[in-house]
Amino acid sequence: MKTLKALSDRLLKLFLSEIPAGACVPENGQCCSAKHRRFNCYGSCIRTSVCG
């Protein structure tokens, strides 16, 4: 069973890229397109009290 899991993990690594967890996008905290909006850690433009 362990051999089958190891083989399947190797096969998935060929097709899927590894994404490190816990890191924010470089734009985190910067103002985005609309007034009173900033980029959050995930890259979404969210409403904040101060920006622009």
Side-chain angles (χ1 to χ4, degrees), residues 8-50:
S8 65
D9 287 346
R10 281 185 160 190
L11 185 62
L12 282 174
K13 284 184 180 182
L14 291 174
F15 298 102
L16 301 176
S17 61
E18 193 171 314
I19 300 172
C24 291
V25 295
E27 298 85 7
N28 181 33
Q30 294 180 6
C31 296
C32 47
S33 61
K35 195 173 188 179
H36 300 294
R37 292 185 175 266
R38 289 186 181 268
F39 287 109
N40 68 1
C41 195
Y42 305 106
S44 299
C45 190
I46 60 169
R47 181 179 281 279
T48 60
S49 58
V50 180

